[in-house]
Amino acid sequence: DKDEAFRIAKTFDLTIKDYGAEEILLESIHAQHRNDDILNLIRKIFKSFELVRGGSVAIESISISAR
């Protein structure tokens, strides 16, 4: 759930870039091995997630109206 995602973000020093009723967009700019550890944790907790790695990336923002 979203509360758990916020706790993970705080614990692992992730940036919350955007969020909606059922979605949250997190940014992690740590070393690859640390990002892999965070990702492994997220895989255990959440059944659905999307991952984007590296470089400049365009990601659709989460609608403010969904908050």
Side-chain angles (χ1 to χ4, degrees), residues 30-42:
H30 301 289
Q32 182 177 346
H33 70 278
R34 177 129 167 112
N35 285 334
D36 289 341
D37 291 343
I38 295 167
L39 178 59
N40 287 332
L41 174 65
I42 290 172

Side-chain angles (χ1 to χ4, degrees), residues 1-28:
D1 76 344
K2 198 167 25 173
D3 290 336
E4 185 65 20
F6 280 103
R7 281 191 287 273
I8 290 170
K10 185 175 182 178
T11 301
F12 292 99
D13 194 28
L14 307 178
T15 304
I16 299 167
K17 300 303 273 187
D18 199 2
Y19 65 93
E22 299 197 19
E23 301 165 319
I24 185 165
L25 178 61
L26 301 173
E27 178 183 51
S28 178

